[in-house]
Amino acid sequence: MYVKSFKRYIKESLMGEESDGEVLQFQLRDFNSKKKNLKSLVLSNVDTDKDISKNYQDIVGENPFLNSYGNMLKLEVTIKRKEIQLEKYAEELRSLQNDMSLLSNLSDSGDRDAQQSNIESQIKDKNNNVEEEENSIKELQEKMRLMEEGLKEFIKEKTDDLKGIQKNVIV
């Protein structure tokens, strides 16, 4: 019992004295083991308003690799939400087109012209919204691609740093 407590004491007292290599090795290992959980958490809540910030922070912690990856996933969620919005716009446009086809059934030409003008205006607005969302998605996809490249480069750089540290350790 005494030895276990002593080992725990030693471990706790040395925690603040970890080398850069040990911290880096832990962070990379932590990233590789938790990135699937982080992706699952973030992407499974695309279509909800559920607050996942506590769970998100529990997974990411102070890990710069998970933090960068999490920021990429947040962009992916934004893109997916915009794609869902595009689907809604498409449905609204189909409905407006259907309404337009029913106008011929109206007997009052003044009412028919007013309704047609109103529907055409709504269609134009929806098409503008679709175009804005599509452009926004393209911009976000490019930003996400750059973030992904940056993360890969960051991981490669830190992995190389870790290899250099490990070579310089005197055994």
Side-chain angles (χ1 to χ4, degrees), residues 3-19 22:
V3 173
K4 286 182 181 178
S5 298
F6 183 70
K7 283 183 180 178
R8 187 179 309 133
Y9 171 77
I10 295 292
K11 186 177 180 185
E12 288 172 2
S13 67
L14 293 177
M15 286 293 265
E17 299 175 20
E18 291 178 336
S19 71
E22 290 171 319

Side-chain angles (χ1 to χ4, degrees), residues 101-169:
S101 67
L102 295 175
L103 285 178
S104 61
N105 295 340
L106 291 177
S107 57
D108 184 349
S109 66
D111 189 29
R112 183 174 47 241
D113 292 344
Q115 290 293 333
Q116 183 174 351
S117 175
N118 182 24
I119 292 172
E120 287 171 349
S121 174
Q122 289 180 51
I123 289 173
K124 182 181 176 197
D125 289 345
K126 293 291 176 213
N127 283 329
N128 287 339
N129 291 343
V130 166
E131 188 177 337
E132 287 174 13
E133 290 290 359
E134 287 173 343
N135 289 335
S136 176
I137 287 172
K138 286 177 188 173
E139 290 172 10
L140 290 170
Q141 286 172 332
E142 178 61 16
K143 186 175 181 180
M144 195 169 131
R145 186 188 67 76
L146 293 172
M147 288 175 77
E148 188 173 8
E149 285 177 10
L151 179 60
K152 285 178 182 176
E153 183 60 34
F154 182 53
I155 290 171
K156 181 186 178 316
E157 179 184 312
K158 292 303 177 183
T159 302
D160 291 347
D161 288 352
L162 184 59
K163 287 176 184 172
I165 291 170
Q166 289 171 341
K167 283 181 183 177
N168 294 326
V169 172

Side-chain angles (χ1 to χ4, degrees), residues 67-76 144 147-148 151:
N67 190 40
S68 293
Y69 186 64
N71 289 334
M72 264 179 33
L73 291 173
K74 288 176 186 177
L75 269 184
E76 188 172 341
M144 195 169 131
M147 288 175 77
E148 188 173 8
L151 179 60

Side-chain angles (χ1 to χ4, degrees), residues 9-130:
Y9 171 77
I10 295 292
K11 186 177 180 185
E12 288 172 2
S13 67
L14 293 177
M15 286 293 265
E17 299 175 20
E18 291 178 336
S19 71
D20 291 346
E22 290 171 319
V23 170
L24 189 54
Q25 189 173 13
F26 171 78
Q27 289 174 336
L28 284 167
R29 194 176 307 125
D30 195 41
F31 169 73
N32 287 321
S33 69
K34 291 182 178 179
K35 66 183 179 182
K36 286 181 184 173
N37 290 343
L38 184 60
K39 184 173 186 172
S40 176
L41 172 70
V42 173
L43 295 183
S44 67
N45 287 287
V46 168
D47 54 359
T48 69
D49 291 333
K50 183 179 170 188
D51 182 15
I52 60 169
S53 59
K54 170 86 172 86
N55 295 351
Y56 180 91
Q57 193 55 44
D58 288 346
I59 294 172
V60 173
E62 298 294 320
N63 189 314
F65 303 102
L66 286 169
N67 190 40
S68 293
Y69 186 64
N71 289 334
M72 264 179 33
L73 291 173
K74 288 176 186 177
L75 269 184
E76 188 172 341
V77 165
T78 302
I79 290 169
K80 289 189 180 300
R81 286 182 175 158
K82 288 182 176 291
E83 289 170 344
I84 290 169
Q85 186 60 48
L86 283 175
E87 291 171 11
K88 289 179 184 176
Y89 287 149
E91 179 61 35
E92 291 169 5
L93 281 167
R94 282 190 292 276
S95 177
L96 288 169
Q97 293 292 354
N98 186 43
D99 291 350
M100 186 73 90
S101 67
L102 295 175
L103 285 178
S104 61
N105 295 340
L106 291 177
S107 57
D108 184 349
S109 66
D111 189 29
R112 183 174 47 241
D113 292 344
Q115 290 293 333
Q116 183 174 351
S117 175
N118 182 24
I119 292 172
E120 287 171 349
S121 174
Q122 289 180 51
I123 289 173
K124 182 181 176 197
D125 289 345
K126 293 291 176 213
N127 283 329
N128 287 339
N129 291 343
V130 166

